Amino acid sequence: MSDCIFCKIANGEFNTPFVYETEDLVAFNDINPKADYHVLVLPKKHIESLNEVDDEKLLAKLMMGVKAVTEKLGLKSFKTVINTGREAGQEVFHLHIHVLSGNIKGV
Ligand code: 5GP
Ligand code: ZN
């Protein structure tokens, strides 16, 4: 989607460093971290939220992406959060998993 900030980041338009990348996923640091480590894991494909997901393989890949990120960063204890819908706190409508570790202040 042309006006989606996460699509632009995933496309490399801002030269955002990726913590992790596969054919289907990217992970990068949250711009406003709520913990010592705050990484966002998302599909490259634009999907608004968990409500729009119909691809179980993609969901599995996202969770494996979370594991790859935590292993790469050496995180043994971490929290994962998916906000779905505005009332639940979703601000960016491109599906993403928050991975937080160390001094977590919440998302
Ligand atoms: P949500 O509230 O949608 O679950 O989470 C959106 C997250 O994206 C927030 O934690 C916010 O700080 C982060 N964010 C918003 N815009 C940008 C951006 O341009 N770059 C990065 N790296 N993170 C962003
Ligand atoms: Zn998008």
Side-chain angles (χ1 to χ4, degrees), residues 13-107:
E13 289 183 34
F14 303 118
N15 292 319
T16 306
F18 295 148
V19 177
Y20 179 72
E21 181 179 15
T22 69
E23 195 182 338
D24 307 292
L25 318 175
V26 286
F28 50 83
N29 290 318
D30 196 291
I31 202 168
N32 182 18
K34 317 291 191 313
D36 293 343
Y37 294 87
H38 187 172
V39 177
L40 304 172
V41 181
L42 48 129
K44 288 182 176 174
K45 180 182 170 190
H46 182 83
I47 300 171
E48 271 201 20
S49 79
L50 203 50
N51 286 331
E52 282 73 33
V53 174
D54 57 7
D55 180 349
E56 64 186 56
K57 282 190 183 150
L58 182 66
L59 275 186
K61 284 177 182 173
L62 279 168
M63 293 314 294
M64 292 310 289
V66 168
K67 277 177 61 68
V69 165
T70 56
E71 282 164 17
K72 188 167 178 181
L73 297 176
L75 306 177
K76 296 278 183 250
S77 180
F78 55 88
K79 186 190 291 276
T80 48
V81 175
I82 304 176
N83 294 320
T84 304
R86 208 170 294 280
E87 285 175 25
Q90 186 174 4
E91 291 174 358
V92 178
F93 285 82
H94 179 132
L95 174 65
H96 52 280
I97 304 177
H98 296 258
V99 180
L100 302 124
S101 183
N103 296 308
I104 298 168
K105 297 177 197 84
V107 284

